[in-house]
Every structure is written in C-alpha cells, then in structure tokens.
Amino acid sequence: METRSVVAEMFIGMPTHFWVLPVAGLVAWFGLKWAEQADNRAAMLRTVTYLLLIVLAVLPNGFYALFPPSPDMPELLLNREPLPNYEGRFYLDAFYVFSGWALSKVAKLKFS
C-alpha cells in the first residue's frame, strides 16, 4: 500500500490536529505559572510541564512513525485508502506543541 508524502500529510492533518496548539499553550501557561508560584516544587513542576509537552508531541504519531501499523489490516484493505504518513503527523504535532509553548511565552510577556 502507498502512503502520502510528509508535506501532504502535514497539510491534510492541519485542521484535525489543531487541537494540539491550544492544549499545548494551556499546559505551558499553567504549568510554568504554577512553577513560578511554588517555591519548593518549582523544578518538579517545570519538569512535569515539559514532559507533558513532549508526550503531547510524541504520542501517538511519533510512536507510529517508529513502529507503523501493519498495512495488511482488514479495515485498510477494505477502504483501499493510502496509509497515513505518521512522520508528517508527528512533525505537525511537534510544530503545534512548540507554537503553543511559544504563544504561552508571548501571552505571559504581554499580560504580566
């Protein structure tokens, strides 16, 4: 079975993966805000925030990029659609997570 190109998958996935951008922004905003307010747990909260952002970027498409599902799955054979390019989806999720983090930094500078 064929797969779409990386760039095509990134553009096709933009509307369906857009939810990653606000979720990453909110995780970064609140996680880093709470880390600043906590004296004794600041390093732990900052670490947890960045780990959540990495998990948001990597799962599930980064995992599927490394270990793609089998192309002989019955539902894929019945539909005769090209396989999704999980590498492109991973790049898109990573871009949205980075953008959400950056937007939270800009919002923090603007509103603080």
Side-chain angles (χ1 to χ4, degrees):
M1 299 206 58
E2 66 182 60
T3 61
R4 297 184 198 112
S5 72
V6 172
V7 176
E9 192 65 47
M10 288 175 70
F11 281 107
I12 290 170
M14 277 183 172
T16 58
H17 288 248
F18 187 76
W19 65 270
V20 175
L21 179 70
V23 169
L26 290 173
V27 166
W29 172 271
F30 287 109
L32 297 176
K33 182 178 179 179
W34 292 335
E36 286 178 359
Q37 294 173 352
D39 293 332
N40 55 353
R41 300 181 314 178
M44 189 239 350
L45 285 172
R46 200 171 288 114
T47 303
V48 167
T49 299
Y50 286 123
L51 284 175
L52 283 173
L53 290 174
I54 290 171
V55 166
L56 185 61
V58 171
L59 292 180
N61 295 313
F63 179 78
Y64 286 146
L66 291 175
F67 307 106
S70 174
D72 59 347
M73 294 168 52
E75 60 270 6
L76 293 176
L77 290 174
L78 287 175
N79 296 339
R80 295 227 173 251
E81 293 180 10
L83 290 174
N85 190 324
Y86 291 106
E87 185 179 0
R89 288 183 178 183
F90 166 67
Y91 291 150
L92 180 64
D93 286 345
F95 172 74
Y96 276 155
V97 167
F98 177 76
S99 298
W101 171 80
L103 285 174
S104 76
K105 289 290 194 179
V106 169
K108 179 184 169 203
L109 290 173
K110 177 120 176 125
F111 296 117
S112 294

